[in-house]
Structure formats: C-alpha cells, structure tokens
Amino acid sequence: MANAIKCPLCGTENAADQKVCVRCQTPLALDASFQPGQAPKRRDTGELEPLLPQWLRDAREQARESEDNQPTQTPQPTVPTPAASGLDLLAGLQSQAGDDTEEEVPDWLASITGTSTPAAKPKAEEPEQPASGIRWVETGKQDDFQTSAEDDMPPWLAGAQTPAVGDEKDELTDWFRQSDSKPISQDVQPFAAEPFSAFSEEPQPQAFNDTPDWLKQMAADAGEVKPQRSESDFNSADWSTQPPADSQPAAQPEPSSQSFDFSSETPDWLSQLQSESAPAEPQKPSGNEPDWLSQLQSNERSNERPPEASQPAFDTPDWLSQLQADAASAEAQPASGDTPDWLSGLGVASAAFAESAPAESEPLASAGETPAWLAPESPASEKKDSTPVWLQDQSDATTPAWLDETQPPAVQSESADVFNDLPDWLKSAAPQSSLFDEPAKTVEMPLPQAEPSKPMPFESTPAFAEGDLSENDAALFTEMPDWLSSAMEQPPANSMVPEPITGSDALAPDVLPSWVEAMRPSDPGMANIVASANELTLESRGALAGLSGVLPAGAGFAPTSKPKAYSIKLNSSEEQLKHAAILEQILEAETAPVSIASERKLGAARWLRWLIAVLLLTVAFATTFLRSTFMSMPTGVPNELSFAVSVAQAVPGNAPVLVAVDYESARAGEMEAAAAPLLDNLILLKQPRLTFVASNPAGGLLAERLMRGPLAFHLNNGFTYLNLGYLSGGQMGIRAFAQSPAAVTALDLNGQPAWASSYLQGVNSLNQFATIILLTDNADAARAWIEQTQSARGVVPVIVVSSAQAAPMIQPYYDSGQVAGIVSGLYGGAIVESRYNGNRPGTARVYWDAYSIGMLLAFVFVLGGGVISLGLGLRDRSVAREGK
Amino acid sequence: MPFSLDLISGALSFVFTLLILSYLIGDNPLFKIAVYLFVGVSAGYVAAVVFWQVLYPKLILPLWQASLSMDVLRLSFLLIPLLGTLLLLLRIFPGTSGAARMVMAFLVGAGAAVTLAGALTGTLIPQVNATINAFDLQAAAARNISAFEVLGNGAIVLLGVVTSLAYFHFGARQKPDGSAKRFILVDLFASLGRIFVGIALGVVFAGVYAAALTALIERVAAVVNFIRTLLGMS
C-alpha cells in the first residue's frame, strides 16, 4: 500500500494520515525527525545526483548557463569565522555562508539552508552584494535567491526552503546533504534556482504589500531587492502566503516544472503535489513520482475542490497529509492583507505554531521536515486560499506597529542595515550574534545568489494541523524555540501583536536558544542526575534542610572501578628496624613470666608442726585432765589491773553497773577466764545491778553464757542481772545508746521493758551508771565504746576486760586516762582471781598450768628457732666467706 | 542412762572440737563440715537475734502499738525506718538495687560522721594529750607513780613515738649515682623506730598467742570435762 506507513516498532501498516501507530501508539514519523542530541551524519549526496528530478536538473543547468555568462566573481577574502564563540553560534552560519570550504559547514546547517557549493558561487549577472546580517540563518549563496527577481521570500527563508524536496525515504534529503558537503558540478542547476512560487518576484502587488519590511530588506540583501515601492504595497506581511511566482501559472505549468520527469525518480510527495495541481497541469504524475510531489499536486487540486475531497492518494507523509488538509481548509479562511498572516495565526492556531516549531528548531535534515510555514505556497492555490490556517486566523488583525515603524526605512534604503528592520523577536532569537552587532563590518562576503525558487508544493499548508499531534508528539513542543513559545503564550486577537522582546523574554547573553540547545550533544548521565535530583524529596531536617537532591546517587558518580590498592608495608630503614627490634625485645622481656624460685620446704616443717601440736595438746589435755596446780599463780600486778580492781571495788553497793559485751564466741574461753574473777569479786563484794548490753549479735548470748557459766554460783545465790541484748548500729548504735539508752534499748533480751525494771531504777542516762565494764576481744570495739561514750559517760570510770591480743592496743587509752583499768586475758584474770578473790578456785586457775606450760613452750620454740636461725645464718655467712 | 541436755551439748562440743582440730592434718571434709555448720548456725542465730532483738521490738511492735493507739505522729515517724528497710531489701534484686542507694547513702554518711567525730574527740586529741602529759609529774604522783618512772616512761614513750614515726618516713634524696638515701638523722631514728615497731609486733604476737593458747586450753578443758563427765570423774 503506497500511502501506508509501516510502524517501525510493531510493523503494523497504518494509514498515511495516522500520526501514531494504531496498534502500539508509536509515533510514525518519529524516525524522520531529527532528535535532540542526535549528531548529524555526513553523507555523500553526490551519488544521488542522477536521482534528482528533471526539473531540478534543468534548474541547475540553467544556473550553470547563467553563471557562465556572468563574470567570475572575485573570491572574497575569508572572514574570520566567529562561530568559535560559544555565544555567537549563528555567526558560524554566517561564516559558512561566506566560506566555500565544506569543512567549515556542519551538515545539519547545510541541510537547513540547502546551500550547495555551486549555489554559493555568485552569478555573473548579479552584482556583488555586501554581506547581509540576515545571513545568520541563511547560509546559502546570494544567487540562490536572486534568480527570481520577483521572489519575495527572504533569503534566509528561501535557504531554509531549498531542501524542502524529499520523500519519506529521505532520498532527496541525502542529496541535499551531499549538495552541501561536496561541490556540485556546474551542469546541475541548484535546486534553489528554480522559481519557487512563494519566492518568485513575479509582480504580486498585494502580496508584496503584505510583506514586512524586514523581510523585504532581507530579500533586498539577498540581491533581489526591488525598487522602492509605495508604502501601500507593504500593507501585508503575508509573505508566506504569497502565491509564488509560479502560482500564477498554476494553471499553466512552469516550464521548469514541466520538465519534471515524474516517471523516473520523482518522490511521492512530489507526485502528490503534481496530482494536486492536476487540473492546471497537463501532465499526470506517474506512479513513480515522489509522494510529496503527488500530494502537492493533489493539494492543488483540492484547492479547487471541496476540502473533504482532498485525500492523500499515495504514501504521503503525515505532515504532508496535514498540509493538504490545511490547504483545503484554507479556502474557507478569509484573508486579510493588513495583518501578517503568519502573525495572525499565532493567536488562534497556536497549536499550529507549536506543531511547526519543531520543523524550525530541528536541523531540517530532510526536505520532508521543511516547516510548512516556511514552505512556499502551492502554485495552484490562490492568494487567500493559500494562506495557512494558522495564519489565516489572524487575517483580520492589523499590521503590528513594529512592522509599520520598520517599513519605511527598510523600503527606502536598500543598503541600509537590515538588522534595524528585523523584528525584535528575530533579533532576540539570535544569541548575541555579531551579525546583529556589526553586520556590515564583520561580514563581508557575497550573498549567495538566490536561485530561482521552485514552487514548493506545501507552502500553503502548515506542517501540522491543529489537533493532529498526538500526545506522543507533545515532546516536540519542548524543542520549540523560545520566540515561538512566547508567541503561543500570547493571547489571540489584537494582543497578539508581537512586541519587542525585552526583559525576561529576551535571551540572556549566555543562554542558548532552545533549538540550539536541542542540537547539543546529549548527556544522558547528567540528565539522569538532574531528573533524579528533581525526584528526590526536600530535606526537612538537619543542616541541609531546604535542599533537595542532596548527595544524588546518580550515574557517573559511582566509582566505576575498584579502588586502588595501596601497599600497607612500611617503608622503614635499617636503623628503624633495629630500633623496632629493640623495642620488641623490651616488651617481650616485660611480658615474659618471671620464674620465681620456689622456696625449699623445710624438711622439719611438717614434723615440727606435728611436734608443736602434740606438745601443746598434750600439755593442755594433761594439765586440765589432771587439774594440776604445780604452776604458781602470777604475783606481779600491773597498774592498769590494779586500777581496774580498785575501780571495781569502788563501785557502791547495789549500784547500777553497765557491762558491755563485745567479743566473739571463739574468744569466749579467754574472756570468761579474764572477766569472771573481776565480776565475781564485784558481785561478791558490791552486789551491783548488772545490766548487760551487747554490741555484737552474739554478745547477748555470751553474756548469758558468762553468767550461767563461771558466775553461776552467784546466780544460784539469788543474784540477778538484766540483759538488754543486742545493740544494733555499730558505732552509731553505741553513740545513740550513750545519748539515750532508754530509747535505744527499751526492751530486754526477753522482750520486757528494761528501763522500768529494778535493775535500771534511777538510771536514765549513761553517766548514771556507777561504772562501765567493757568486755571485748577487739581493740576497735574498745575504741568505739571509748570514743562514742566519751562525752556521755562523763566521769564514769571504764574498766576494760580484754583479750590478751587486744590489750596492747587498749593500753594507750589507759595511759591517757580514758580507761580506768585493764584486765587483759588469762593473765589478768589469774591475778585478780589469785590476788583479789582470796585464791578461790576459778577458771583461771584451771587453765593456768596449761597456759604457763604453753607459754614456756612458745618461749622455747621462739628461742630455739632463733638460735637455729642464727646458726644457719652463721653457717651461710661462713660458707660465703669461704667461697669468696 | 538418761541423756541430759548438758551431756548432749557436751558431746556435740566434743565432736565439733575434734573436727576443728582435724585441720592439723590439713584441709579435710570433717573440718569443712564443722566450718559450714558453724557458719550456718551463726547466720541463723544472727537472723533470729536481729528479728527478735531489733526488728520486732524496735519497729514492728511500735508500729503495732501506734496503730492501735492511732498515734499518727509516732506512726509517721516509724514509717521512715520501715521505708528504709524495704528499700534496703530491694538490694537483693539487681534491677531494683538502685532504690536502696538513698538509704545506704544515709547510713554511710551518718556512720562516717559519727566515726570521724568519735575518733577526733575520743582518740586523736586524748592520745596527743597523753603523749604530752607523759612527763607530767603531778599526774604521775596522783597515780602513785614515781618521778623517775614517769621520766623513764615518758622518755621511752617519746622516743618510741618519734622513732616509730621516723621509721615510716620514706622520704629520701636521690644521689648522683641514682641511689636514694634518707637523711642520716631520719635514718638513725628509723633504725631505732624499727626496734620499737618490732617490740610492738612481738607484744601483739604474744597477745595473739596467749589468746589462742587460752582458747585451745579452754577447748581441751571442755573435752576433758566431757570425758570426765562420761567417766564420772567430775
């Protein structure tokens, strides 16, 4: 099917008018467009030379013939190309226009202009034109636009239109690319030399009157400037809607167009174009003609038929089909010569702007991508009908003020600076090009002669009709130039009058136009980073609050290779190694365990231990079992003991006496032997009211043991005592008892009120006791009682009955007068018992023989041990002396 | 033959005394049995004493009496030691041992204050005065001590105190060769002080030996008495 479009994705054949695939919704014409970031491909178009249509060949032939008649143009000095500047991007285009060297011209730019090297050569009959500033877009030769003196098309637009020939297979596109990249032989007429209808200079008064001055100035610069015209001739700026010079002969075909050989390699679009103009043309396009040409022909026919009758008959591209539709719909649109149609369409057919924008923003790699608004009007279309829909909507609009203001000087002066006549939006669209700044000085190159423009078959139909674009094509709007975008945003009607772009609308000096930006090499990684950063959430806390996209983990930031491995081996010298070895030796010596020489066990130790044990046990057992009394009792009375007995005997009769018990059960035998004689003497003589209080838990029981053991005799005689029991709290308890004895020990050991008994009658404080007898085997306990009762007891004497082991530590308190007397151990008890109790048999006497023998054995052992140690020492010294 | 309580207690005393004396041949199970039994009995006895002689008469009974008499003031005062007791009981649980810190802090603080005050007023100042008054003839005469003895005792006490303190003085200067040597006068006093310290330790050892010997004699006498009682020789 000739008019079917095969989906590149799913292979489904779709109708020619389908923009997207009916099956997979894939944009069908997407592959034909030049994608942003896509690098232009250099193609050799020379091989496509035979594929040129006949009319193109004829046009090129004519150009060569006319060129032969013209004097050879003096080559212009090469102007330094300002394209190197990043800001002056369009200056490169200018340099390209003035430089024939192919290397300076990018392919995509060449595709835009359709300029070929032969076309850039000035024709002989054309005078050398000074460089024009409007060549910032047009890079073709000035001759390309001068071949038709009646062409109103601005050169830059003509240059943009020249490659507008091609089929959907880009056959001509390739050819045009090659025409830019390599010189075309002289026998081939440039395509631009063909008299395009839209740019022909055939008298079109009304149409020319609608042309803006700046456009006319452009045309004048291109070498086809007409003589001054009346101001009324420039009422309309509808240059794009002008019927081309060949449109008049739409009914009578142009000679050059008649020479087209549609039967050979004519693209479809060209065939279609021919079919549209079939009523006016005698020739019928063959089936081999290009689709676009065929559709163009059908469009021409449709201009005379009802709009619904215009249907693409061949494999017309979608955008061409839309052109047909728009051209057909243009018949119903009233035309106005007062308002530039292309401006009129801005307000209403904003979508058309948007749709046509990609055609301009894109590099126009193929003719099929020629924007419709730039395409010349179909020859068959009339003036009004040929106006695109998007331009006709504003047909009733008045001429913009800026156009009116710029018209007179532009018409009156041919050599005037055309940049003054350029619309502001056009100036602002140019990114700080030097062309606008110093157009005449910096650019001195001959304008390429405008070749006779061939009537473009689609000039009357916009590239896209409103509403034709699907959602998938919405991305095209993102590539729209800024000036077009701003134009779309403006409200329709009178407010659509373009105003000079100033302020925020104007491009900043360092801002690239969007269509230039779109042609930059794509950087997907950065785009991903930006996209991911935009997707990140806003930081809401911390020091980075308010920032978004913090630390994006985008592509390109992650390490792509393993981290470099660094050696951890120390770079040390020999001296450092020696020092390290010394340090290791020191540490090793400190951490190494030191063997301790074990002491040699004495061979006699075990035997000596058993010997001592046997001796002591034997003595103790024998003496106690035999109840021997062969050892005399001690006769010497120490002063502390003497004073202790004196104090005890000084106690008034039946006086309250406090006996504090604080010794362990293990010492009960010694303590009872030491205390019993004194208490026996006291009870016997004074019958005191003894009150026992214990500062250790076992004290109360030991007190009972004392009274029921050695002193049981007195109990049997009716002596009674009071046991207050355990006084808890240690030193704090003793102090509390000293301060308030009745409150601390309210009950006795049996749980009866103690202070209400007869034993404590008249006693409310510690100093009301007649004396205090402390029974302790611990020096600390004696010290605690002495210290804590120091202030409470007053002048009440304290008698300490202590163990033999605690007596040396309690002696200083006796020397200081804090203790009235001390009875220490079995020795003290034996003295009291023997001296103050009339030799009444008591416990001390029972133990005394064993004690005396034991002390004697100890003396012998100590003395014998000392002698043995002395003898061994002398021996060692003598051995040592002999050794020396 | 009837077994009296004294005979039973005497027999137990005899057996446990032998078990303890078995340590003479080294640590053995019999010795351990005796030790464990004593530790257990002592703990049980202390617990009983604390309850019956401390808690019951000084906390439970007053609380009961205050509750009966509706003496709110006394009851409130008694709740303070009760609360402290409960907090101290929480120490047995590791997780709640921190609750007893306040009570322990009170006890430690109060004990430290009492000990410090008692040591200052009951030991330090009186002992300093006693050392000074060692040469007080009037005081010695009052205690029926001759002047010569007072002076002799005072001189010995003074010398012993000074030399003993010098012995525990470890300050020394370092010589150029690295060795350290105390001042010669200090070194001389230290040498004398070492004699006093040795004598003091000998006295202590003699006291310990005398106490231990007395304890041994008492235990042997207890065994002998039991044997004699068994033999009917009392």
Side-chain angles (χ1 to χ4, degrees):
Chain A
M1 189 170 61
N3 57 349
I5 300 176
K6 189 175 183 179
C7 178
L9 182 60
C10 62
T12 304
E13 291 187 352
N14 300 275
D17 55 347
Q18 291 292 333
K19 302 300 291 185
V20 297
C21 179
V22 297
R23 183 178 182 183
C24 61
Q25 301 299 320
T26 301
L28 298 177
L30 185 59
D31 54 348
S33 62
F34 191 85
Q35 300 299 326
Q38 179 180 354
K41 299 179 181 178
R42 184 182 297 276
R43 295 182 180 178
D44 186 8
T45 58
E47 60 185 4
L48 299 177
E49 186 72 30
L51 301 178
L52 286 175
Q54 186 60 38
W55 61 272
L56 281 178
R57 296 177 183 175
D58 296 338
R60 297 170 64 87
E61 187 65 23
Q62 291 176 6
R64 280 195 297 270
E65 291 175 0
S66 61
E67 188 175 359
D68 295 337
N69 298 330
Q70 295 175 356
T72 304
Q73 187 175 2
T74 304
Q76 296 296 324
T78 304
V79 180
T81 304
S85 174
L87 297 177
D88 196 1
L89 296 176
L90 297 178
L93 303 178
Q94 183 184 20
S95 64
Q96 183 185 9
D99 192 1
D100 294 338
T101 56
E102 180 59 26
E103 291 74 14
E104 297 295 330
V105 180
D107 292 339
W108 61 273
L109 282 178
S111 301
I112 294 175
T113 59
T115 304
S116 61
T117 304
K121 294 180 179 180
K123 293 184 177 181
E125 66 272 13
E126 294 295 334
E128 183 175 350
Q129 297 294 331
S132 175
I134 61 175
R135 305 189 66 81
W136 61 275
V137 170
E138 184 268 318
T139 58
K141 294 294 183 179
Q142 191 176 13
D143 297 338
D144 299 341
F145 307 94
Q146 287 180 341
T147 52
S148 175
E150 299 174 356
D151 193 357
D152 293 339
M153 190 65 169
W156 61 277
L157 288 178
Q161 275 188 330
T162 48
V165 179
D167 56 2
E168 54 187 354
K169 295 183 179 179
D170 293 339
E171 293 178 358
L172 290 180
T173 302
D174 297 337
W175 177 83
F176 280 121
R177 289 176 178 171
Q178 290 181 356
S179 66
D180 294 333
S181 59
K182 53 195 311 186
I184 301 176
S185 59
Q186 293 295 328
D187 56 347
V188 179
Q189 287 291 337
F191 176 74
E194 292 296 328
F196 283 90
S197 60
F199 305 98
S200 64
E201 289 196 351
E202 186 171 305
Q204 295 292 339
Q206 184 61 32
F208 197 83
N209 293 338
D210 295 340
T211 303
D213 296 336
W214 60 276
L215 290 178
K216 292 176 180 179
Q217 185 61 35
M218 294 178 185
D221 293 338
E224 51 182 314
V225 179
K226 281 188 173 184
Q228 291 185 0
R229 301 190 181 190
S230 62
E231 198 170 325
S232 60
D233 296 336
F234 299 92
N235 292 333
S236 175
D238 192 6
W239 50 271
S240 62
T241 59
Q242 289 296 325
D246 299 332
S247 63
Q248 188 66 21
Q252 42 186 18
E254 191 181 36
S256 60
S257 62
Q258 291 177 357
S259 63
F260 286 170
D261 186 8
F262 293 102
S263 61
S264 59
E265 298 294 334
T266 304
D268 294 341
W269 61 275
L270 193 56
S271 301
Q272 187 172 358
L273 177 63
Q274 192 175 14
S275 64
E276 290 179 357
S277 59
E281 296 181 2
Q283 293 182 353
K284 294 289 184 181
S286 62
N288 295 330
E289 63 183 13
D291 295 341
W292 60 275
L293 188 57
S294 301
Q295 188 165 355
L296 179 60
Q297 294 172 356
S298 63
N299 286 338
E300 291 174 352
R301 287 192 300 268
S302 65
N303 290 334
E304 299 176 359
R305 295 196 305 266
E308 56 274 11
S310 61
Q311 296 294 335
F314 306 101
D315 294 335
T316 306
D318 295 338
W319 60 276
L320 287 179
S321 303
Q322 189 59 39
L323 286 177
Q324 297 171 4
D326 293 337
S329 62
E331 294 179 358
Q333 297 296 334
S336 175
D338 297 334
T339 303
D341 294 339
W342 62 275
L343 286 176
S344 302
L346 292 177
V348 179
S350 60
F353 260 104
E355 293 162 3
S356 61
E360 181 177 342
S361 61
E362 292 172 357
L364 298 177
S366 65
E369 298 178 35
T370 303
W373 59 277
L374 292 176
E377 187 175 354
S378 174
S381 63
E382 296 180 0
K383 174 187 174 183
K384 295 181 180 179
D385 297 339
S386 62
T387 303
V389 177
W390 56 278
L391 293 176
Q392 291 176 356
D393 293 339
Q394 293 296 327
S395 59
D396 55 349
T398 58
T399 303
W402 59 276
L403 286 178
D404 295 337
E405 294 174 0
T406 56
Q407 282 174 0
V411 174
Q412 292 175 0
S413 174
E414 294 182 359
S415 61
D417 189 2
V418 296
F419 300 106
N420 296 330
D421 299 332
L422 285 177
D424 294 338
W425 60 268
L426 196 56
K427 290 182 178 179
S428 60
Q432 296 292 324
S433 174
S434 60
L435 295 172
F436 292 97
D437 300 330
E438 296 177 359
K441 296 178 181 179
T442 58
V443 181
E444 294 180 1
M445 61 184 68
L447 286 174
Q449 294 180 355
E451 295 183 4
S453 59
K454 191 72 177 177
M456 294 299 294
F458 324 111
E459 71 275 16
S460 61
T461 51
F464 302 99
E466 183 178 5
D468 283 346
L469 287 179
S470 62
E471 296 179 356
N472 295 331
D473 297 329
L476 297 173
F477 296 97
T478 60
E479 307 298 333
M480 189 184 305
D482 296 337
W483 58 274
L484 279 179
S485 302
S486 60
M488 292 175 57
E489 296 172 359
Q490 292 179 358
N494 295 334
S495 61
M496 282 300 298
V497 176
E499 297 178 0
I501 300 175
T502 58
S504 59
D505 294 334
L507 290 176
D510 56 346
V511 175
L512 295 175
S514 59
W515 60 276
V516 178
E517 189 73 24
M519 289 185 290
R520 292 178 57 190
S522 61
D523 189 358
M526 185 57 67
N528 294 336
I529 293 171
V530 174
S532 60
N534 294 332
E535 293 174 358
L536 292 177
T537 57
L538 191 68
E539 293 292 329
S540 60
R541 60 181 63 177
L544 301 178
L547 299 180
S548 62
V550 177
L551 298 179
F557 286 93
T560 57
S561 61
K562 294 177 65 177
K564 187 178 180 181
Y566 294 96
S567 176
I568 59 174
K569 185 178 180 180
L570 293 177
N571 187 14
S572 57
S573 61
E574 291 294 335
E575 184 178 2
Q576 292 173 341
L577 292 176
K578 289 180 180 179
H579 293 169
I582 294 173
L583 180 60
E584 290 180 355
Q585 291 177 358
I586 293 174
L587 295 177
E588 185 179 2
E590 290 183 353
T591 56
V594 179
S595 60
I596 300 175
S598 60
E599 296 181 357
R600 184 177 58 88
K601 289 186 176 179
L602 295 176
R606 189 177 184 85
W607 171 83
L608 187 60
R609 185 175 61 186
W610 277 100
L611 176 62
I612 295 173
V614 169
L615 289 177
L616 291 177
L617 287 175
T618 302
V619 171
F621 185 84
T623 55
T624 55
F625 184 79
L626 297 177
R627 295 186 178 181
S628 63
T629 57
F630 60 90
M631 299 297 295
S632 62
M633 297 293 288
T635 55
V637 179
N639 289 334
E640 63 270 14
L641 189 147
S642 173
F643 280 98
V645 174
S646 301
V647 170
Q649 293 178 353
V651 172
N654 200 20
V657 174
L658 179 65
V659 180
V661 180
D662 193 346
Y663 59 90
E664 300 296 332
S665 301
R667 306 292 179 184
E670 183 189 11
M671 292 303 301
E672 290 175 356
L678 183 61
L679 292 177
D680 184 23
N681 183 269
L682 183 61
I683 294 172
L684 182 63
L685 298 179
K686 304 297 178 179
Q687 292 290 324
R689 293 178 290 175
L690 294 179
T691 302
F692 290 88
V693 62
S695 56
N696 65 346
L701 187 60
L702 292 176
E704 293 292 330
R705 172 188 164 93
L706 176 62
M707 295 302 296
R708 297 180 185 276
L711 302 177
F713 173 77
H714 298 287
L715 296 179
N716 295 333
N717 293 333
F719 181 78
T720 58
Y721 60 95
L722 179 64
N723 191 353
L724 297 177
Y726 173 57
L727 180 64
S728 62
Q731 294 192 32
M732 291 184 293
I734 295 173
R735 189 173 185 84
F737 178 79
Q739 292 177 349
S740 178
V744 175
T745 55
L747 302 178
D748 61 1
L749 188 63
N750 297 322
Q752 300 298 323
W755 299 92
S757 63
S758 59
Y759 304 101
L760 296 175
Q761 188 176 7
V763 178
N764 296 321
S765 61
L766 191 62
N767 58 6
Q768 292 178 346
F769 285 101
T771 186
I772 299 175
I773 300 174
L774 176 61
L775 307 179
T776 180
D777 62 343
N778 192 347
D780 292 336
R783 182 173 57 84
W785 275 98
I786 294 171
E787 290 176 351
Q788 300 303 328
T789 60
Q790 178 86 20
S791 59
R793 71 173 183 267
V795 294
V796 176
V798 177
I799 299 173
V800 177
V801 178
S802 68
S803 170
Q805 65 181 6
M809 268 68 75
I810 301 173
Q811 187 69 33
Y813 292 98
Y814 167 75
D815 294 335
S816 64
Q818 295 174 282
V819 174
I822 299 175
V823 177
S824 59
L826 183 61
Y827 179 80
I831 293 176
V832 174
E833 183 178 290
S834 62
R835 189 176 182 95
Y836 298 100
N837 287 345
N839 289 324
R840 276 197 314 157
T843 306
R845 187 68 189 101
V846 175
Y847 298 163
W848 185 249
D849 287 356
Y851 179 80
S852 298
I853 296 173
M855 292 300 293
L856 181 61
L857 289 174
F859 173 77
V860 173
F861 291 148
V862 171
L863 184 60
V867 171
I868 294 174
S869 177
L870 179 61
L872 293 177
L874 294 176
R875 188 191 63 177
D876 293 341
R877 289 183 181 180
S878 63
V879 171
R881 192 179 306 112
E882 291 176 358
K884 292 181 178 178
Chain B
M1 176 180 178
F3 293 96
S4 63
L5 184 59
D6 293 337
L7 182 61
I8 296 174
S9 61
L12 292 176
S13 298
F14 173 76
V15 171
F16 280 105
T17 300
L18 294 179
L19 294 178
I20 295 297
L21 293 177
S22 67
Y23 188 74
L24 184 63
I25 60 176
D27 194 5
N28 58 86
L30 298 178
F31 174 77
K32 290 182 179 179
I33 290 174
V35 171
Y36 295 158
L37 189 59
F38 282 129
V39 171
V41 170
S42 299
Y45 172 74
V46 170
V49 167
V50 168
F51 178 79
W52 289 111
Q53 296 185 21
V54 179
L55 293 178
Y56 176 76
K58 297 179 180 178
L59 182 63
I60 298 175
L61 187 60
L63 280 173
W64 178 255
Q65 293 175 352
S67 300
L68 293 178
S69 62
M70 300 301 293
D71 190 350
V72 179
L73 181 59
R74 186 183 179 188
L75 188 62
S76 60
F77 277 109
L78 291 173
L79 287 177
I80 295 176
L82 177 62
L83 179 61
T85 303
L86 296 177
L87 292 177
L88 283 176
L89 287 176
L90 294 178
R91 285 180 60 86
I92 60 177
F93 305 105
T96 58
S97 60
R101 290 178 181 174
M102 184 180 296
V103 181
M104 290 299 297
F106 173 76
L107 293 177
V108 172
V114 168
T115 302
L116 184 61
L120 185 63
T121 60
T123 300
L124 186 59
I125 296 177
Q127 291 301 314
V128 172
N129 291 331
T131 304
I132 296 173
N133 295 331
F135 297 95
D136 189 357
L137 296 179
Q138 295 180 354
R143 300 174 67 175
N144 196 18
I145 302 174
S146 63
F148 180 78
E149 185 180 359
V150 168
L151 293 177
N153 288 337
I156 294 173
V157 169
L158 179 60
L159 183 62
V161 170
V162 172
T163 56
S164 297
L165 292 176
Y167 175 77
F168 290 101
H169 178 71
F170 299 104
R173 289 184 179 181
Q174 188 175 8
K175 288 187 175 181
D177 58 353
S179 61
K181 187 174 178 59
R182 291 187 292 190
F183 185 59
I184 184 171
L185 187 58
V186 176
D187 198 11
L188 178 61
F189 285 171
S191 300
L192 294 176
R194 184 167 57 183
I195 297 175
F196 282 96
V197 172
I199 293 174
L201 293 178
V203 172
V204 172
F205 174 77
V208 172
Y209 177 77
L213 182 62
T214 305
L216 175 64
I217 294 171
E218 188 270 339
R219 278 295 88 194
V220 170
V223 171
V224 170
N225 290 334
F226 177 75
I227 293 174
R228 290 176 64 93
T229 303
L230 290 179
L231 297 177
M233 298 174 62
S234 61

